[in-house]
Amino acid sequence: MNENIFLKLLCSLPVILVVLYFIPFLGICLIIFRFFLYYDKFYKTPILLLISGLLLLIPKIIDSIINFFKINNIEMLNSIINTSIYNKLLGYSKLLITVGIIFLILSFIFRNIIESIINKIRNYFEQDLKKDYEIRKENDLKMQEKRERAKNTHVVYCPYCGADNLLTKQTGTCKYCRRMIEYKPEK
C-alpha cells in the first residue's frame, strides 16, 4: 500500500513539472510511467502540460498584444518579462508545450491501437462463442434425434431364423437372413 502511495506521489503533476525543469529526460520517463499508473486517464497529463506551458507564456502573450495594439507599456509587465528567471521559464514553457503535444499525439495513437486490439480480441471471442453455440445446438439436435429413436426402438425376433433384431421403425430387415420383418405391438 505504501509503495502505491509513493508511486502516485512520484508521478504527481507537481513532481513531474519540477523534474522536467531540472532533468527533462527523467521527467519524460515519469510521464510515461504516469500513463501506466493512471491508464484510464490517457489525455489528462498531456493537456495539463499544455495548460502549464501556456500559463507560463501569459506575460509574453500580454506583452505581444500590448505591442501589437501600441498601448502604453505596463512597467511591472516589462520588469517580469526582462528578468533572467522569466527567460529561463520561456524555454521551459516551450518544453512543456512540446512534450504536451507529443504525448497528446502518442496517447491518441496508443489509445486507438489498444482499442482496436481489444475489439479484435472481443470479436474473436464472440465468434468463438458463436461457433461453440452452433456446434452445441447441432449436437443437441442430434442427441434429441437419437433419444427419439431410442424411445421407438423395439426388439423383434425374426419369424424365419429366430434372431433378435433392434428396429427403430415399424418395419426393417433381419440382420442375418435379410428378410423383411415387422414390429407388431402387443395388445
Side-chain angles (χ1 to χ4, degrees):
M1 184 69 181
N2 290 334
E3 292 176 12
N4 195 18
I5 293 172
F6 176 72
L7 292 177
K8 286 186 177 185
L9 179 66
L10 186 64
C11 292
S12 66
L13 195 63
V15 172
I16 289 175
L17 289 174
V18 170
V19 172
L20 265 175
Y21 183 75
F22 291 110
I23 310 169
F25 177 75
L26 184 60
I28 290 173
C29 292
L30 286 176
I31 292 171
I32 293 170
F33 187 65
R34 182 180 169 98
F35 279 127
F36 289 110
L37 195 62
Y38 299 105
Y39 53 88
D40 55 337
K41 300 175 183 175
F42 269 101
Y43 301 113
K44 186 177 180 182
T45 304
I47 291 173
L48 289 174
L49 290 174
L50 278 171
I51 291 172
S52 301
L54 291 174
L55 285 176
L56 290 175
L57 286 177
I58 288 178
K60 188 72 171 174
I61 293 171
I62 291 173
D63 186 51
S64 297
I65 292 172
I66 288 173
N67 288 338
F68 181 73
F69 289 116
K70 297 179 181 165
I71 302 174
N72 292 335
N73 287 340
I74 301 172
E75 293 297 324
M76 185 180 220
L77 185 64
N78 285 336
S79 64
I80 290 174
I81 292 174
N82 294 329
T83 60
S84 63
I85 294 173
Y86 186 71
N87 288 329
K88 289 180 183 177
L89 287 178
L90 281 178
Y92 179 60
S93 69
K94 290 176 187 176
L95 174 72
L96 287 178
I97 291 171
T98 305
V99 169
I101 289 172
I102 289 171
F103 275 104
L104 190 64
I105 292 168
L106 289 177
S107 63
F108 177 76
I109 291 170
F110 285 128
R111 179 78 170 213
N112 286 339
I113 289 172
I114 289 171
E115 285 178 359
S116 69
I117 290 171
I118 288 173
N119 285 336
K120 286 180 182 179
I121 291 171
R122 184 178 298 132
N123 288 339
Y124 172 76
F125 281 119
E126 285 175 0
Q127 289 175 355
D128 192 39
L129 288 174
K130 189 175 181 180
K131 285 179 185 177
D132 287 346
Y133 174 74
E134 293 294 326
I135 291 170
R136 193 176 308 118
K137 186 176 173 183
E138 188 177 317
N139 287 342
D140 287 346
L141 186 62
K142 287 178 183 177
M143 289 303 294
Q144 184 67 25
E145 290 173 358
K146 285 182 180 180
R147 280 189 219 112
E148 288 298 319
R149 270 190 264 140
K151 284 181 186 177
N152 296 330
T153 302
H154 307 286
V155 176
V156 177
Y157 294 99
C158 179
Y160 306 105
C161 67
D164 57 339
N165 295 283
L166 288 176
L167 291 181
T168 56
K169 301 177 185 174
Q170 288 291 68
T171 60
T173 58
C174 176
K175 59 184 173 181
Y176 296 104
C177 66
R178 303 275 182 219
R179 293 188 183 172
M180 289 297 293
I181 55 175
E182 182 180 350
Y183 171 69
K184 295 177 186 171
E186 296 178 15
K187 294 180 184 179

